[in-house]
Amino acid sequence: MNKIEHIGIAVKDLEASNLVFKKLFGAPHYKLEEVASEGVKTSFFKVGPNKIELLEATREDSPIAKYIERKGEGIHHIAFEVEDIAKEIERLKGEGFIVLNETPKKGADNKLVAFLHPKSSNGVLVELCQEVK
Ligand code: ZN
């Protein structure tokens, strides 16, 4: 793994949260994107070399809606950049991690993504992401 690619935060109201985080960072989001297949709307902020992703559910069966129902708003996942997502999935499976989607799927921000189940990583939902070139 290379670095933390971004941190994902689950929010109830993306528009309102965009204003909050704009005040926090002193700069607005640079990107808005809906990922219909995941039932989410996202926005991205840059903080120096780091990125923060806000996620709002667009339907009730969205993983974000379920998360907020169970745990409330807050930090939802940490995403790590990888060079070769297929290889990394194989490696992590071999190490005993539970991979939620073994076939990488298209995520926001032009990435191929896969998630590890939080129960295999101390309660942390880990996202692997590989830039699509
Ligand atoms: Zn993410």
Side-chain angles (χ1 to χ4, degrees):
M1 288 188 199
N2 291 340
K3 59 168 188 177
I4 292 179
E5 214 287 326
H6 62 270
I7 294 174
I9 298 174
V11 302
K12 285 182 185 162
D13 180 340
L14 192 64
E15 214 174 301
S17 302
N18 280 338
L19 291 174
V20 173
F21 282 81
K22 179 185 172 187
K23 284 185 210 161
L24 179 65
F25 300 140
H29 61 276
Y30 66 93
K31 187 171 190 170
L32 270 179
E33 187 177 351
E34 181 162 353
V35 185
S37 57
E38 295 294 302
V40 294
K41 267 194 309 199
T42 68
S43 63
F44 284 88
F45 291 82
K46 278 203 175 90
V47 190
N50 302 305
K51 285 180 357 192
I52 300 293
E53 173 186 36
L54 303 184
L55 305 108
E56 179 199 62
T58 54
R59 39 171 216 261
E60 271 172 33
D61 65 346
S62 154
I64 294 299
K66 289 179 191 162
Y67 181 87
I68 287 179
E69 203 180 290
R70 283 200 328 271
K71 300 199 167 176
E73 295 181 296
I75 293 179
H76 176 257
H77 64 270
I78 301 179
F80 295 92
E81 182 184 274
V82 300
E83 290 294 328
D84 181 339
I85 197 166
K87 208 165 129 188
E88 200 63 11
I89 287 170
E90 281 313 305
R91 183 182 76 79
L92 292 167
K93 272 168 57 187
E95 296 285 5
F97 291 96
I98 301 162
V99 181
L100 289 171
N101 57 299
E102 294 193 12
T103 306
K105 52 192 177 183
K106 188 102 179 46
D109 202 28
N110 198 34
K111 300 281 193 294
L112 275 176
V113 303
F115 289 91
L116 305 185
H117 197 292
K119 79 178 173 198
S120 64
S121 44
N122 293 90
V124 179
L125 177 60
V126 172
E127 176 182 354
L128 307 174
C129 52
Q130 179 193 327
E131 179 107 49
V132 180
K133 282 165 191 153

